[in-house]
Structure formats: C-alpha cells, structure tokens
Amino acid sequence: MNRLTGESLLDFYDIEQQIKARDREIDHPFSKDLQITAIRGARNYAGDKLIRVAPPHKVLDPKNGPLIAVRLHIVSRKTLGGLQTDLSARVLNDSGEVIKGLYAAGEASGFGGGGLHGYRALEGTFLGGCLFSGRTAGRAMALEAEGKE
Ligand SMILES: Cc1cc2nc3c(=O)[nH]c(=O)nc-3n(C[C@H](O)[C@H](O)[C@H](O)COP(=O)(O)OP(=O)(O)OC[C@H]3O[C@@H](n4cnc5c(N)ncnc54)[C@H](O)[C@@H]3O)c2cc1C
C-alpha cells in the first residue's frame, strides 16, 4: 500500500501489533473490544447469524488468509450538521432569528433535510426529508415573493 501511494503512511509493525492485539480478544469470552462485542451481539439474532455476520475469527490465522489490502477513497455521506432552519426552511442566525431572504433545504439544512426524522433517523429516510424540505422552502419563498409570509 505504501508503494501504491508513494508515501510511507503505514508502519508494518504498528499494524501487525494492532491486529495481534485484536486477534487476542477473540479468545477472550468477556472481551470489551467494540467490534468483537458487536459481532457477537449481532450473531445473537438468528437472521444475522445465518446470512449476514460471519463468526468472529482471527485475522492472522493462516486458514483465514490471504490478507488483502484495500485502498479506500472516502466520500462524505452525511453532513450531520448544516444551517439551522425553522419549519418554513428559513435560515436562522446564531441567536435563532430568521435571516430574511435566506432559505436552506436538503442536507445543507442538516441531517436528512433539516433533521426532519430526528437525530436518530434511520438509514434510507434521508431523501424524503430532503425533497420535503425543498418543497417547504419553495412554498415559503413563493409566499414571501407574494408578500404573504
Ligand atoms: C452512498 C449514499 C447512499 C445513500 N442512500 C440513501 C438511501 O438509500 N435512502 C435515502 O433516503 N437517502 C440516501 N442517501 C442520502 C441522500 O442521497 C441524501 O440525503 C440526499 O441525496 C441529499 O440531497 P440534497 O439535494 O440535499 O444534496 P445533494 O444530492 O448532495 O445535492 C447537492 C447538489 O449541489 C451541487 N453543488 C455543490 N456545490 C455546488 C456549487 N458550489 N454550485 C453548484 N452546485 C453545487 C452538487 O453537485 C449536488 O448536485 C444516500 C447518500 C449516499 C451518499
């Protein structure tokens, strides 16, 4: 991977140490390793155990090899932030007052369209909120243009 990037970003011995430490936790029935705990938790559900979540296994066990390195290109999928808006998609300033003439919709106004489904929104519910906040903003802008806001 270092050859691919032309930079020494990865230290072999550091990575080996981390993986060995992680593999040791597989033998630990009360491990607090978050990933292993999550795998064990998911496998308590029959559906996940049967088709989705492989049994926890050691990365460095030769029978689980060969090791494959994957170069990731990270994209930003959610903002988890955005401009604060009111229910008419009008942007608010730091004091919570409306900034006249400024509207925001979709991810620009926060998680899944102004946080329409709350802070713990489920995956797959974002596009609807983005479209709806766009509609809200459009209607509010039309009313403002007609002087009926
Ligand atoms: C991989 C992935 C999977 C997803 N799966 C789902 C799913 O299954 N269900 C679901 O509901 N949601 C899903 N989402 C979330 C959903 O797609 C987004 O919340 C939604 O598309 C955001 O819409 P938007 O119009 O706010 O922003 P965007 O769709 O990001 O639109 C913003 C637009 O602005 C343009 N732009 C940016 N800067 C400028 C500029 N300076 N000048 C002009 N144009 C500019 C961009 O090119 C882009 O076209 C997924 C998102 C990703 C990334």
Side-chain angles (χ1 to χ4, degrees):
M1 294 308 283
N2 282 341
R3 267 202 303 277
L4 271 182
T5 60
E7 293 175 71
S8 294
L9 297 171
L10 303 175
D11 180 272
F12 179 87
Y13 295 102
D14 181 39
I15 292 172
E16 186 184 36
Q17 201 180 25
Q18 287 186 42
I19 297 176
K20 278 183 174 164
R22 185 264 183 201
D23 277 0
R24 264 198 310 274
E25 294 297 306
I26 298 279
D27 294 326
H28 190 335
F30 305 111
S31 170
K32 297 289 181 287
D33 179 283
L34 287 180
Q35 190 190 45
I36 292 162
T37 306
I39 292 171
R40 287 180 177 154
R43 284 178 58 82
N44 281 334
Y45 170 62
D48 281 346
K49 188 171 181 168
L50 285 173
I51 57 168
R52 266 168 44 114
V53 185
H57 52 275
K58 292 187 180 182
V59 175
L60 293 181
D61 185 337
K63 77 171 190 293
N64 297 322
L67 294 177
I68 299 167
V70 179
R71 185 178 178 183
L72 298 178
H73 295 270
I74 310 293
V75 296
S76 175
R77 186 168 182 272
K78 297 187 181 71
T79 59
L80 295 177
L83 300 165
Q84 181 93 40
T85 49
D86 66 6
L87 292 177
S88 299
R90 297 179 300 181
V91 177
L92 307 178
N93 65 18
D94 283 348
S95 318
E97 293 149 358
V98 169
I99 301 175
K100 197 156 171 50
L102 186 61
Y103 293 80
E107 290 290 339
S109 62
F111 199 35
L116 205 82
H117 292 287
Y119 288 119
R120 292 173 193 267
L122 288 173
E123 292 293 324
T125 63
F126 306 120
L127 200 49
C130 289
L131 293 170
F132 184 79
S133 59
R135 176 177 177 265
T136 302
R139 288 186 163 187
M141 276 184 256
L143 286 177
E144 185 183 343
E146 289 171 15
K148 294 182 191 164
E149 54 165 329

